[in-house]
Amino acid sequence: MKKTAAVPYQIWMLIFVLVPLLMVAYFAFTDSNGAYTLENIIKTGEYVPIFAKSILFALIATVICLVIAYPLSYILSTLDISYQSTVLMIIMLPMWMNFLLRTYAWQTILGNNGIINEFFGFFGIGPFKLLNTNGAVILGMVYDYIPYMILPLYTAMAKIDRSILDAAEDLGCSGIKTIFKITLPLSVPGIISGITMVFVPAISTFIISKMLGGSSNLLIGDLIEMQFLGTSYNPNLGAGISFVLMVIILIVMAVINLIDKSGDEDKVLM
């Protein structure tokens, strides 16, 4: 019965996950005539600075999301159940809007005639160049992906038995010590999930960098898009770049899983 119930899921995974991955691998290792070649993978080396910039931006955005989301998730998990539902709805509300519209909104906010520069204009300051900068790209990533950090963190913290925290306080632990000694170790699975859910889309984003970063902030997602939709149409090279990016993401996820497993072993030893 269980095997039968899993068949639709297996078919879905086969058609929409495995087949596209095999197609990417095929085009990555072939030329326009279908002949086997490593040229696409080798040529990817020309874009190492773009890869490095994409990884750096994704790391910065992930760290900022974690720093903001962790205390917010902790506070949320301590609220009354009825308030938790309301706050979660507020957090999820922007995600009901189209991704493109949310990014357009930041163009309006950060522009030379935008809300922020208009505010500083009242004091005779500015205008500041906020749009088409590295900071604007990272800000867009944080804004769009922070819910993916909050939700797994909140879920992990909400599952922590309150009696454990009460026992720690009864034994003399201060609030801060309880957070670092109990809450933080028990919320590691949520941290790992949040990092994965933010870093993976952030490293491959292209709409945010194009609209908020301008032409000077070319990231790996933009480069891949150019190979399939731009004037420099080369799907084989685009597949090669995508394949290398996929390998990088798999390596990062493998390292994160190793950290997660070692953390579980430490908790067991404790």
Side-chain angles (χ1 to χ4, degrees):
M1 183 66 182
K2 290 182 179 179
K3 292 183 178 180
T4 305
V7 170
Y9 172 75
Q10 293 170 347
I11 294 174
W12 176 277
M13 293 290 290
L14 177 66
I15 296 176
F16 295 103
V17 177
L18 184 59
V19 171
L21 289 178
L22 291 175
M23 290 177 64
V24 169
Y26 170 77
F27 282 102
F29 291 99
T30 56
D31 58 19
S32 57
N33 297 318
Y36 173 78
T37 180
L38 290 175
E39 183 180 352
N40 299 317
I41 304 299
I42 295 172
K43 197 171 182 180
T44 302
E46 299 177 6
Y47 306 109
V48 169
I50 298 178
F51 272 96
K53 188 174 185 179
S54 300
I55 294 171
L56 178 62
F57 280 21
L59 284 173
I60 294 174
T62 302
V63 170
I64 294 175
C65 284
L66 180 59
V67 170
I68 296 174
Y70 195 90
L72 179 59
S73 301
Y74 176 78
I75 295 170
L76 178 58
S77 67
T78 61
L79 296 176
D80 186 78
I81 296 296
S82 59
Y83 290 115
Q84 290 182 18
S85 302
T86 303
V87 176
L88 278 175
M89 185 186 70
I90 294 173
I91 293 172
M92 296 295 294
L93 195 60
M95 299 180 68
W96 297 354
M97 296 174 58
N98 184 275
F99 186 87
L100 194 61
L101 290 177
R102 284 183 280 149
T103 310
Y104 266 125
W106 276 108
Q107 276 190 323
T108 304
I109 294 171
L110 298 175
N112 288 336
N113 298 317
I115 297 172
I116 295 177
N117 275 316
E118 287 286 342
F119 172 77
F120 285 117
F122 284 115
F123 304 97
I125 306 173
F128 299 103
K129 181 176 173 57
L130 303 176
L131 199 61
N132 298 330
T133 61
N134 294 343
V137 176
I138 294 172
L139 176 63
M141 289 181 180
V142 171
Y143 169 75
D144 282 310
Y145 300 131
I146 196 168
Y148 299 113
M149 182 68 77
I150 294 174
L151 293 179
L153 281 173
Y154 161 73
T155 302
M157 292 180 184
K159 291 180 179 178
I160 298 175
D161 191 346
R162 296 292 122 184
S163 62
I164 299 176
L165 303 179
D166 294 336
E169 292 180 5
D170 291 339
L171 293 172
C173 282
S174 62
I176 296 177
K177 195 171 183 180
T178 301
I179 291 174
F180 283 99
K181 289 290 185 179
I182 297 176
T183 306
L184 183 59
L186 293 178
S187 62
V188 166
I191 295 174
I192 298 299
S193 298
I195 289 174
T196 303
M197 293 177 67
V198 172
F199 180 80
V200 172
I203 194 176
S204 56
T205 188
F206 63 95
I207 290 295
I208 296 173
S209 54
K210 177 180 290 186
M211 296 179 63
L212 301 182
S215 58
S216 60
N217 276 294
L218 183 69
L219 299 184
I220 196 64
D222 304 303
L223 185 62
I224 293 172
E225 183 203 23
M226 288 168 56
Q227 308 308 315
F228 288 97
L229 301 176
T231 54
S232 56
Y233 180 75
N234 190 344
N236 296 91
L237 177 59
I241 299 171
S242 301
F243 184 82
V244 173
L245 178 61
M246 182 173 61
V247 171
I248 292 174
I249 292 174
L250 289 175
I251 292 172
V252 171
M253 291 179 67
V255 171
I256 291 175
N257 287 331
L258 286 175
I259 296 172
D260 190 19
K261 288 180 180 178
S262 64
D264 290 339
E265 292 174 0
D266 290 341
K267 279 186 267 185
V268 171
L269 291 173
M270 290 174 63

